[in-house]
Structures are given as structure tokens and as C-alpha cells.
């Protein structure tokens, strides 16, 4: 600047004003209107909306600048009755079972497909489940009604508790829960904090006893696995675990899950885990199954990191058949390489859709903790490195063993479905107990979806995401009559499947509707 000033032939010591208009046309044109509206107690946002109706586009910030120039101070916070008449969010009533009305009326609901689960909820007898688990409740929202509300939201694929607010005005959702309206997010968020792990175990035990008549859990074989629910906050009590979807270790809540291989439904969960307790979790599941069914599980399938080798010897002593993989250590890899080519034999897998159907197998013995186990080296299974299968099943043919372990992918698929549809990874919390109760609800919800899928032709093996999209996500007209509730489904492409299931025009008495019956129709 000094260099330029010295070399100016006629330097100017003062800045010359720039040519152009000295006023703001929009603000000037709206100034009188803004002052008039402020005198009527309008806020800057209401003034901006009123100006838009008069074809004057002025933002709330520009309105605030005009008012400041005119000497107006910001408005103090006003009561609703002091504000001008305008569209506002409605205030829904609080959930109260005493306010449930079964007066004759008719209404539309977006959650019509949820009524397909009502017969299953009646069979479960949630009153008995809530009582057995000693779940908390109140006069306004008893324990069974709270459990039914949270289960209905899980069945409707609500991602987070805060996302329930757009559905609180749906009369159908409240009717399914047996309340005037479904509880709001404040109640739902608090409720999980009031349920401990012992109550969760009692709830799952009672659930198994009630579901026994549905033959949902055959109990012949189980797939076991861990899943890390990521936590995106900062909390000193949250530990770091490996998160497969991120392929890295990060803060997360470790969850153990068991799946019945025949029923394909989750039968057990535990999110109340800390580091160092992972290896013993398999025995907690065994204890749970024995207490719920009076017998030990017959067959367990899991990967190499689920438990330790000494625990494999414990399983063998207990007489429980298991199947797992061994980690490919350099010593084992060298042992595989020393096997002569003539010692390998080819087996054929009875899986027509599989690409690699003829692997080569070499069978040997492995001694672990003083006990002998059956060990299979497997090549040509689609992996660069050989697969090493370890089991105490000494009778089953190698081809069937390989096929059964390949079916362990069912739990991987179920976990993927739970992440997508039941939003398992959205259950983030620094308190593992809260996640623990949500995982128990996921177990019950997955079982209800499997029971519904069996009734629908062609959907026995379908995942919950597809069942919801085709059959459950459906509006309906609900008519409350004298002694029954009639749910009339709207026409949809997949409605003939529901008609063919035999669920229509088969009344079911619903205890929480004062004995009124549910009748589904079209």
C-alpha cells in the first residue's frame, strides 16, 4: 500500500465512496409491514411467513435486521395462547390403559399388517411373560402393555426410540398394545434402564416355555456367534471390540447370539458381556438351555474364536457334540503340506447350488487337553488356505460334516437381516444392560416373524425384511364393533398369500381388549 501511495501522481488521502444505490429495495418496501406485524406481536419467523403470503420474499434474518434498526427488542418467550393462530404440532395424550376406548368407531391405520402378529402375541401370553420376568410397570402402563408396545415397535422395524414420535397418533398401533396411544420416546428410553440381566434371562426362559407348542426350536443343533454393536460416543466404560462391518476395533457392546439351525430363529442373546468373559459365554448358554428345556443342547457349531481349547475338552466331557474350525497356525499348515497327495480323498457335497462341490479331505486325530478329537484337513473348498475342521463327532461322514458347517452361514445371514431390518447396530448405548433388553426383544420378534412365515406359502425361508415388505407393511381399516375388532386390509399385490394362509375370518379372542375378538378380512 505504501509503495503504491508514493508512486501515485495525485494521491488521495481518503477513500472515495463507491457509486451505487444506498438503500435495500426489499427491506425498504417491507419496512412498514414488518413494523405493523411486530406491533401485533409476531415473531421474526411469523413475519417472514406473512410477507411470503404478500409476495415479499424476506428471510427471518433480514426481518430481524429491520426490527433492530427500528429499535425493536427481541420478543420474550410466549405461551402458546399468546401466539397468533397457526398450524402447530398436536399434543397427543399420555399413554394410559385406563383411557383405552373400545367404543364403536372406524379409523384408518398405517400399521394394518401388525395385526397379523396378534394371534402370536395371544399365544405367547405376555401377561405371563411379564410376570415371570418381574418386569416393571405402573397403573398407567402395566408391565405386559409396556412389553407389548416395545415388541410392536420392534416388529414394525422402528430404528430408534426417538423415531416412534411420528407413530404416536396411529390408533391401530395403540390398539395392538392395548393402550389409548403407544408410549412416547421418554418412557421407552427409560424402560430399558429398569430391566436387568436376570430379568432378561427370566423373560427368555418364559418365552421358550410358551413357544414350545410352535416347534420353533427343534434343539437338534445350534449356531453360535458374537456380534459387536458399535458405539459412536465417548465413554470410559465402553470397551473396544472387533466390528466386522468396519473391519477394525472400536468402542462397541459385545453381544452373544444363539440360533436354532432348523427353525432359523434366534433363541438366546446376551449383551451383558465384558472383556475376558467371552470364552465362558458358551457355558452360560448351555445352562440357560438346560434350565429352560431340562436337557443339554445336543450339537453346537461355532468358529475358532468363540471359545478356548480347554473349553472344547469341557464340552466333550459334558457329552455335547460340537463342530468348530482351528486357526491356521504355521505348524498346522506345515502338517497339511506334509500329507502325501495319495492320502487325500475326494468327497461330493449334496449341495447343488454350491460352486465347490468336490473338496479333498484328509482325516486325522488331534490331541487337546488330554483328549482325542477328530480333525479334517479340507482343500478345494473355495479358499486359498486349507480349512481345518475340529469335532468330537466320530460317526458322521466327512461330506455331511462339511455341509453342516457350511450351514453355519445361516447365522451370518440372520445377523445381516437383524442389522438391516431390526436395526441391531442402532442399539448404541454406553450401558450394556439397555442393549441386553433390546436384544431379548429382537429374539422374541424374530421368533414371531418365523412363526408368521411358516403360515405364508413360499415364505418359510424368507428373511424378516422381505416378509415385512411384502406382507406386513400394509394399511388397513379398523372397525371397532360391540364384541369384535374387524381389520379390513387394503388391496395389495401380495394379499392373496395372506388370504391363502387361512388367517382371515378366523376370530381370535384378545384378552387385553376386554375379551373382544379380532377378525381379519379383506
Amino acid at each position: 500500500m505504501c509503495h503504491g501511495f508514493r508512486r501515485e501522481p495525485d494521491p488521495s488521502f481518503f477513500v472515495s465512496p463507491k457509486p451505487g444505490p444506498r438503500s435495500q429495495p426489499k427491506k425498504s418496501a417491507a419496512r412498514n409491514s414488518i413494523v405493523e406485524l411486530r406491533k401485533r406481536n409476531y415473531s421474526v419467523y411469523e413475519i417472514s411467513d406473512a410477507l411470503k403470503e404478500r409476495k415479499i420474499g424476506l428471510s427471518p434474518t433480514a426481518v430481524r435486521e429491520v426490527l433492530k434498526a427500528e429499535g425493536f427488542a427481541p420478543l420474550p418467550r410466549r405461551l402458546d395462547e399468546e401466539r397468533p393462530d397457526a398450524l402447530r404440532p398436536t399434543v397427543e395424550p399420555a399413554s394410559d390403559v385406563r383411557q383405552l376406548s373400545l367404543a364403536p368407531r372406524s379409523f384408518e391405520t398405517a400399521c394394518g399388517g401388525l395385526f397379523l402378529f396378534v394371534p402370536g402375541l395371544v399365544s405367547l401370553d405376555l401377561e405371563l411373560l411379564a410376570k415371570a420376568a418381574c418386569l416393571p410397570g405402573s397403573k398407567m402402563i402395566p408391565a405386559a402393555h409396556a412389553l407389548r408396545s416395545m415388541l410392536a415397535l420392534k416388529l414394525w422395524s422402528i430404528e430408534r426410540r426417538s423415531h416412534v414420535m411420528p407413530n404416536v397418533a396411529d390408533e391401530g398401533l395403540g390398539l395392538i398394545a392395548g393402550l389409548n396411544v403407544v408410549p412416547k420416546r421418554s418412557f421407552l428410553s427409560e424402560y430399558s434402564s429398569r430391566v436387568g440381566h436376570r430379568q432378561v434371562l427370566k423373560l427368555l426362559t418364559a418365552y421358550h416355555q410358551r413357544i414350545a407348542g410352535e416347534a420353533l426350536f427343534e434343539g437338534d443343533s445350534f449356531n453360535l456367534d458374537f456380534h459387536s454393536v458399535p458405539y459412536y460416543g465417548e465413554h470410559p466404560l465402553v470397551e473396544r471390540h472387533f466390528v466386522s462391518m468396519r473391519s477394525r476395533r472400536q468402542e462397541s457392546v459385545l453381544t452373544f447370539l444363539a440360533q436354532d439351525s432348523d427353525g432359523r430363529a434366534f433363541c438366546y442373546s446376551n449383551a451383558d458381556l465384558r472383556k475376558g468373559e467371552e470364552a465362558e459365554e458358551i457355558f452360560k448358554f448351555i445352562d440357560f438351555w438346560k434350565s429352560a428345556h431340562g436337557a443339554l443342547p445336543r450339537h453346537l457349531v461355532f468358529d475358532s474364536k468363540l471359545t478356548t481349547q480347554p473349553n472344547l475338552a469341557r464340552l466333550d466331557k459334558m457329552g455335547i457334540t460340537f463342530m468348530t474350525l482351528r486357526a491356521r497356525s504355521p505348524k498346522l499348515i506345515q502338517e497339511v503340506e506334509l500329507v502325501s497327495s495319495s492320502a487325500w480323498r475326494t468327497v461330493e457335497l449334496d449341495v447343488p447350488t454350491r460352486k465347490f462341490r468336490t473338496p479333498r479331505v484328509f482325516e486325522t486325530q488331534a490331541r487337546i487337553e488330554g483328549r482325542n478329537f477328530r480333525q479334517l484337513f479340507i482343500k478345494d473348498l473355495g479358499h486359498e488356505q486349507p480349512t481345518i475342521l475340529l469335532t468330537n463327532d466320530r460317526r458322521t461322514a466327512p461330506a455331511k460334516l462339511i455341509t453342516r458347517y457350511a450351514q453355519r452361514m445361516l447365522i451370518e445371514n440372520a445377523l445381516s437381516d437383524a442389522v438391516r431390518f431390526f436395526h441391531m447396530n442402532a442399539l448404541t448405548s454406553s450401558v450394556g444392560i439397555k442393549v441386553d433388553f433390546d436384544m431379548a426383544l429382537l429374539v422374541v420378534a424374530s421368533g414371531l416373524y418365523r412363526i408368521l412365515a411358516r403360515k405364508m406359502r413360499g415364505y418359510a425361508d424368507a428373511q424378516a425384511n422381505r416378509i415385512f415388505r411384502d406382507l406386513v407393511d400394509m394399511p388397513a381399516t379398523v372397525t371397532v364393533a360391540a364384541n369384535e375388532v374387524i381389520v379390513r386390509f387394503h388391496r395389495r399385490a401380495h394379499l392373496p398369500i395372506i388370504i391363502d394362509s387361512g388367517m382371515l375370518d378366523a376370530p381370535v379372542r384378545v384378552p387385553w381388549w376386554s375379551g373382544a375378538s379380532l377378525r381379519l378380512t379383506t
Side-chain angles (χ1 to χ4, degrees):
M1 290 172 63
C2 293
H3 179 273
F5 180 77
R6 293 193 188 102
R7 282 158 180 75
E8 282 284 341
D10 188 14
S12 58
F13 290 88
F14 302 99
V15 178
S16 302
K18 294 182 180 179
R22 295 269 132 325
S23 63
Q24 296 174 299
K26 282 189 177 181
K27 288 184 179 179
S28 300
R31 189 174 301 271
N32 293 335
S33 299
I34 293 173
V35 172
E36 174 199 349
L37 293 170
R38 170 46 64 93
K39 289 180 178 179
R40 291 163 56 186
N41 216 25
Y42 275 55
S43 69
V44 292
Y45 301 100
E46 293 162 351
I47 293 173
S48 178
D49 293 337
L51 291 177
K52 287 178 182 177
E53 295 178 1
R54 302 179 186 183
K55 308 299 182 182
I56 303 174
L58 212 59
S59 68
T61 303
V63 172
R64 187 179 291 109
E65 291 172 353
V66 173
L67 291 173
K68 186 177 180 181
E70 292 293 327
F72 286 94
L75 285 179
R77 189 173 184 84
R78 299 168 294 171
L79 300 176
D80 288 340
E81 54 267 20
E82 297 175 340
R83 299 174 184 269
D85 293 334
L87 289 175
R88 297 190 184 91
T90 59
V91 179
E92 297 301 322
S95 297
D96 192 341
V97 66
R98 297 167 296 186
Q99 300 298 323
L100 174 64
S101 173
L102 293 175
R105 67 188 187 279
S106 182
F107 59 86
E108 302 291 326
T109 176
C111 306
L114 275 184
F115 285 92
L116 293 170
F117 293 103
V118 171
L121 294 175
V122 172
S123 300
L124 274 184
D125 192 357
L126 296 186
E127 293 278 353
L128 181 62
L129 264 64
K131 185 177 180 180
C134 302
L135 295 181
S138 64
K139 291 182 179 179
M140 294 178 64
I141 307 178
H145 291 72
L147 179 60
R148 196 178 298 114
S149 301
M150 302 185 77
L151 196 54
L153 297 177
K154 185 67 71 174
L155 293 169
W156 192 245
S157 188
I158 298 293
E159 183 175 359
R160 297 182 186 273
R161 301 287 165 75
S162 58
H163 296 171
V164 72
M165 300 309 290
N167 301 92
V168 295
D170 194 306
E171 291 187 68
L173 193 57
L175 186 61
I176 290 173
L179 298 166
N180 55 333
V181 293
V182 73
K184 300 180 178 63
R185 61 185 175 188
S186 56
F187 173 86
L188 299 174
S189 299
E190 179 205 2
Y191 195 84
S192 298
S193 303
R194 301 166 63 191
V195 182
H197 182 61
R198 291 183 180 179
Q199 292 169 288
V200 169
L201 287 179
K202 291 179 181 178
L203 175 65
L204 291 176
T205 302
Y207 164 66
H208 276 255
Q209 294 170 353
R210 291 298 306 173
I211 209 73
E214 298 287 346
L216 183 62
F217 305 128
E218 298 293 339
D220 293 330
S221 184
F222 299 92
N223 300 317
L224 312 179
D225 206 351
F226 286 110
H227 179 77
S228 297
V229 179
Y231 177 71
Y232 298 101
E234 293 183 5
H235 198 281
L237 295 180
V238 181
E239 298 174 329
R240 296 174 66 88
H241 301 282
F242 181 78
V243 179
S244 57
M245 63 177 292
R246 299 280 182 176
S247 297
R248 68 183 185 191
R249 299 179 69 83
Q250 72 174 70
E251 288 78 7
S252 55
V253 177
L254 188 64
T255 303
F256 178 87
L257 287 159
Q259 179 201 43
D260 185 271
S261 62
D262 295 325
R264 298 193 179 187
F266 291 118
C267 58
Y268 175 80
S269 69
N270 182 16
D272 189 25
L273 287 171
R274 305 293 294 175
K275 273 188 178 296
E277 300 176 352
E278 302 95 332
E280 293 297 317
E281 185 58 30
I282 187 172
F283 296 102
K284 292 182 181 179
F285 166 68
I286 292 171
D287 293 340
F288 165 80
W289 189 263
K290 185 176 180 180
S291 65
H293 296 269
L296 296 174
R298 303 189 191 100
H299 192 264
L300 304 176
V301 182
F302 47 89
D303 67 5
S304 60
K305 295 183 179 180
L306 189 119
T307 191
T308 60
Q309 290 189 356
N311 285 343
L312 298 181
R314 287 175 60 187
L315 290 173
D316 193 36
K317 290 178 183 178
M318 296 172 68
I320 299 175
T321 306
F322 70 86
M323 189 185 307
T324 185
L325 296 182
R326 294 193 70 181
R328 302 184 186 96
S329 64
K331 183 178 178 180
L332 281 174
I333 294 296
Q334 184 180 8
E335 188 177 343
V336 173
E337 292 175 351
L338 292 176
V339 178
S340 63
S341 58
S342 60
W344 296 89
R345 63 190 184 97
T346 302
V347 298
E348 183 174 358
L349 306 182
D350 188 18
V351 187
T353 57
R354 186 176 179 86
K355 181 178 180 181
F356 301 94
R357 295 181 56 193
T358 56
R360 293 182 296 154
V361 179
F362 175 76
E363 187 171 332
T364 182
Q365 294 285 329
R367 189 165 183 81
I368 298 174
E369 298 295 323
R371 304 184 73 87
N372 292 325
F373 294 97
R374 188 179 181 187
Q375 183 172 261
L376 275 67
F377 298 154
I378 309 168
K379 285 186 175 182
D380 301 336
L381 204 57
H383 308 288
E384 294 183 3
Q385 301 256 352
T387 300
I388 304 171
L389 190 65
L390 187 71
T391 180
N392 60 349
D393 185 349
R394 296 171 178 84
R395 297 182 179 181
T396 306
K400 291 186 177 180
L401 288 175
I402 298 171
T403 303
R404 173 61 189 91
Y405 193 85
Q407 290 173 352
R408 184 188 165 274
M409 287 301 296
L410 290 175
I411 193 170
E412 302 288 347
N413 297 338
L415 286 172
S416 300
D417 184 46
V419 170
R420 288 193 307 269
F421 179 73
F422 293 114
H423 308 288
M424 185 192 299
N425 285 351
L427 305 177
T428 57
S429 174
S430 60
V431 184
I433 293 176
K434 294 185 69 172
V435 181
D436 194 27
F437 180 62
D438 286 332
M439 293 301 299
L441 292 175
L442 186 149
V443 170
V444 179
S446 70
L448 289 172
Y449 262 96
R450 296 264 52 88
I451 293 172
L452 179 65
R454 291 179 177 183
K455 298 177 181 178
M456 305 298 169
R457 182 176 176 84
Y459 283 80
D461 298 330
Q463 294 183 344
N465 190 28
R466 182 186 168 192
I467 299 170
F468 177 80
R469 184 181 65 245
D470 292 352
L471 307 174
V472 179
D473 188 10
M474 177 170 49
T477 302
V478 180
T479 303
V480 181
N483 294 315
E484 67 175 354
V485 175
I486 304 169
V487 178
R488 189 177 303 277
F489 295 120
H490 296 180
R491 293 190 177 184
R492 294 285 299 274
H494 295 85
L495 190 58
I497 296 173
I498 298 176
I499 296 174
D500 192 46
S501 68
M503 295 185 68
L504 301 187
D505 296 317
V508 177
R509 183 178 174 275
V510 182
W512 60 91
W513 290 348
S514 301
S517 299
L518 168 69
R519 184 159 62 88
L520 307 176
T521 185
T522 57

